[in-house]
Amino acid sequence: MFDDRTDAGERLAADLEARGLEADVVLGIPRGALPVARPVADALAADLDVVVARKMGAPQNPEVALGAVASDGSVWYNDDLIDRVNPSEAYLEEIRTDEAENAREKADRYRETGGLPDLRGKRVLLVDDGVATGATATACLRQVRETGADWVGLAVPVGSPRSIDALEREADDVIALETPADFRAVGQYYRDFGQVTDEEALEYLDRG
């Protein structure tokens, strides 16, 4: 159990330091990842930036992720879930288009130039406050891969064991402090899991 996202970030940073992990850039997934990513970036003496993706929710149940789309249009589909839910092709295309635009708008709020920084040849570590379905993390990892980064890792305080296993196929290394067998939701492992506003998230970026 973590007190809050800052506590989780400090504990994650200590673990990564103990492992001797090195990174040139830490990318947080806004908004909730920024309080976690800031201590990690500070500990690793790395630049802190953001990578953005949006979940594509199922019809009548937007919390269920049919996939996710990144701000550059990179998309990941949860094929098993899509087979079960069986949404129409028109629905998938509509939500992909809408969420890609939402992701681009969010990226523009956090970075004046839009898009990702130049990551060619760099060691890049993605950080989030936790992994449930892994949809957003997968879309973000694939977006970073396309930049020509030399190494791409993912670090989180807590995650679903099944999702963490799947993400190991997307990243060069995946570190999760906790992978509880009874995982249900990220928030259950935080005493304080309140919303992070855009203004608060931007402050973490400005502290570097």
Side-chain angles (χ1 to χ4, degrees):
M1 180 70 73
F2 305 103
D3 290 337
D4 55 20
R5 289 180 177 89
T6 297
D7 173 51
E10 291 170 350
R11 290 161 65 176
L12 184 59
D15 181 86
L16 297 174
E17 279 190 295
R19 293 170 184 261
L21 189 141
E22 297 180 356
D24 301 305
V25 180
V26 170
L27 296 177
I29 302 173
R31 298 177 299 252
L34 273 301
V36 182
R38 180 77 266 173
V40 171
D42 291 345
L44 301 182
D47 294 333
L48 177 61
D49 213 305
V50 297
V51 58
V52 180
R54 293 274 299 188
K55 182 169 61 179
M56 297 185 296
Q60 286 82 52
N61 194 349
E63 291 305 309
V64 174
L66 298 177
V69 59
S71 57
D72 70 341
S74 303
V75 65
W76 171 78
Y77 292 110
N78 185 335
D79 293 328
D80 291 341
L81 184 58
I82 287 173
D83 286 343
R84 293 201 301 273
V85 175
N86 196 29
S88 68
E89 289 293 332
Y91 176 83
L92 284 175
E93 179 59 23
E94 179 182 4
I95 196 167
R96 184 197 66 78
T97 301
D98 289 348
E99 294 301 354
E101 179 61 26
N102 289 335
R104 282 191 292 272
E105 290 176 358
K106 178 178 273 192
D108 289 343
R109 287 201 297 273
Y110 284 85
R111 192 186 301 106
E112 291 180 0
T113 58
L116 286 169
D118 185 359
L119 301 175
R120 287 173 294 181
K122 295 185 177 180
R123 292 178 59 87
V124 182
L125 180 67
L126 274 68
V127 172
D128 205 352
D129 53 14
V131 167
T133 66
T136 302
T138 299
C140 288
L141 286 166
R142 292 185 179 183
Q143 181 179 7
V144 174
R145 282 282 187 209
E146 291 299 313
T147 67
D150 186 58
W151 178 93
V152 182
L154 173 70
V156 295
V158 63
S160 153
R162 181 176 179 180
S163 296
I164 293 296
D165 286 346
L167 287 163
E168 288 176 348
R169 297 191 291 271
E170 301 287 342
D172 295 305
D173 196 5
V174 177
I175 296 115
L177 297 185
E178 305 287 346
T179 54
D182 62 346
F183 181 95
R184 295 188 303 278
V186 172
Q188 77 183 100
Y189 300 98
Y190 287 83
R191 293 185 179 88
D192 179 359
F193 198 62
Q195 289 287 335
V196 177
T197 67
D198 282 327
E199 291 74 18
E200 290 168 337
L202 285 164
E203 287 180 8
Y204 288 103
L205 287 173
D206 291 340
R207 291 180 190 177

